[in-house]
Amino acid sequence: MMMMTKRGLACALLALAVACALATMRAQAQQPVSCSTVDSAIAPCEQYLTGQRNAPPEECCSGLRSIHQAATSTQARRDTCSCLKQIASRYSNLRDEAARALPGQCNVAVPIPISRDVDCSQIS
């Protein structure tokens, strides 16, 4: 049986710790996106999306940024899209032009539209 030196053991333990950290980060990055999280994030945008405000408040833009940051995989973007589609369907007075303009108004490049008519299976 070969004896490992202290340095070799330290390197092996460090490699194991790095592998565990990477596995944990991957698992966290692939967490499913919940509609309650998306709903909470987009709620401050309601007055802008329904035409009661001319510009989205900062809380709305912060929520949009958090949605964008959480949707890191194709599946997460599709889940987020489905949530946004449900939210859009709740607002009978949703202004489509405001929904399309929201990412630009907030300066956030979100590839997921807020729309009642989007096909979320086409989101990549």
Side-chain angles (χ1 to χ4, degrees), residues 76-95:
R77 285 186 288 278
R78 288 179 180 170
D79 293 345
T80 301
C81 175
S82 294
C83 296
L84 289 170
K85 186 174 182 175
Q86 289 174 19
I87 292 165
S89 294
R90 274 191 259 149
Y91 300 121
S92 60
N93 57 344
L94 177 77
R95 293 177 48 234

Side-chain angles (χ1 to χ4, degrees), residues 1 44 46 57 105 109-110:
M1 185 168 160
E46 180 179 356
Q105 289 285 320
V110 180

